[in-house]
Amino acid sequence: MGTNTKSRWFVGVSHDELKECALYAFPHAGAGVTTVRPLCLELADTYTAFGVRLPGRESRLEDPVETVMPDLADKVAVELLRHAQGRPVVLYGHCAGSAIAYEVARRLDPAMLRALVVSSHPAPGSLRREPTWGLPRPEFLKQVVTDGYLPSMLLANEELLDIVEPALRADYELVENYELELYEAGTVEPVAVPTVAVHGRDDHTVEAAQIEAWVALTTGPFRMLSLPGGHDLPSSRPAELAAAVREALAEG
């Protein structure tokens, strides 16, 4: 196993010796690696864990945002193959990041994938939602707050909103248009890898049945986990989430 390569797409949480398997964590809409870092730290004893940093946020604030799912998934898959250097990988996605992780999984050799883990997001193609990414700022950000991506107290901070809104809109455009296309097509392409779908029992933004619908997106073993907590499990319940994921994959 070679020395890991550097990449502006992936940010590691540990400088320890590389583990046999790497984990890549995709954050929620508009977010950077800071939101998945607590979970990556919890899993660092089992995997060499990396947060995925998409363009338009954190140190990539000036990079052009991505709004077309196939284009983004192609780029991430190519970069991940180079970065992983032949190691098996686990892909984890939280909320909107789940859809990106699934599309990246479709582009990788199933033999390379140990598992796909998703949390707090309906299975792509399982429900219809009219796109909101093109709404005026007040209406759009109200939806973002409802979806659990932005604390309502930040709505009065126009300077901060000027910074975070472009990435939020880009991710909403990316995922909303992609999922609407899947729904209207009426078909999805399952991945042949073990899949774990996680739901917070106090999450009022997504129903348990919408999480269980991920079973249609895999031909491998499937497990649904229900944990205490709300929508933002990687930040609010990282230890419980990490323990549940570790146990599920060990049993898989």
Side-chain angles (χ1 to χ4, degrees):
M1 219 165 29
T3 302
N4 187 62
T5 57
K6 291 185 178 181
S7 172
R8 60 180 180 161
W9 289 85
F10 311 119
V11 181
V13 300
S14 173
H15 298 292
D16 297 338
E17 182 180 350
L18 298 179
K19 304 293 193 298
E20 185 263 341
C21 185
L23 179 139
Y24 294 87
F26 293 76
H28 63 76
V33 298
T34 55
T35 62
V36 292
R37 180 176 171 81
L39 176 65
C40 288
L41 286 170
E42 291 289 342
L43 289 169
D45 61 340
T46 306
Y47 307 100
T48 302
F50 300 92
V52 180
R53 178 172 286 156
L54 299 180
R57 64 216 73 199
E58 296 177 334
S59 65
R60 302 190 65 189
L61 194 62
E62 301 303 320
D63 290 357
V65 294
E66 298 281 348
T67 58
V68 180
M69 181 65 83
D71 294 347
L72 173 62
D74 286 347
K75 292 176 183 178
V76 176
V78 168
E79 189 69 11
L80 193 149
L81 283 170
R82 184 185 71 86
H83 190 262
Q85 295 187 313
R87 280 180 293 166
V89 303
V90 172
L91 300 184
Y92 166 77
H94 175 62
C95 205
S98 299
I100 305 173
Y102 160 72
E103 277 298 317
V104 173
R106 288 184 55 224
R107 288 157 169 79
L108 300 180
D109 185 342
M112 179 185 183
L113 281 170
R114 287 286 175 85
L116 170 66
V117 184
V118 297
S119 62
S120 307
H121 192 71
S126 63
L127 76 162
R128 179 185 181 89
R129 175 170 134 167
E130 290 300 324
T132 61
W133 64 268
L135 292 174
R137 173 180 274 190
E139 290 85 349
F140 170 67
L141 293 179
K142 181 180 179 181
Q143 184 63 54
V144 172
V145 170
T146 299
D147 290 341
Y149 290 132
L150 192 67
S152 58
M153 70 279 295
L154 296 183
L155 293 180
N157 189 333
E158 294 289 337
E159 184 175 349
L160 178 61
L161 293 179
D162 288 341
I163 296 173
V164 303
E165 184 179 354
L168 278 166
R169 280 196 188 273
D171 287 359
Y172 266 68
E173 181 178 358
L174 176 86
V175 174
E176 288 181 335
N177 288 350
Y178 157 74
E179 295 191 340
L180 184 59
E181 290 175 4
L182 285 186
Y183 180 86
E184 292 179 342
T187 59
V188 293
E189 182 178 331
V191 291
V193 297
T195 300
V196 179
V198 187
H199 180 243
R201 290 196 285 270
D202 299 320
D203 185 358
H204 303 299
T205 70
V206 59
E207 299 176 4
Q210 295 169 340
I211 302 295
E212 192 171 12
W214 279 92
V215 68
L217 274 68
T218 181
T219 58
F222 175 79
R223 287 196 65 181
M224 176 180 168
L225 303 179
S226 180
L227 299 181
H231 183 76
D232 194 17
L233 294 172
S235 295
S236 64
R237 300 275 185 162
E240 294 96 324
L241 177 58
V245 169
R246 195 181 292 110
E247 179 183 355
L249 296 186
E251 294 177 0

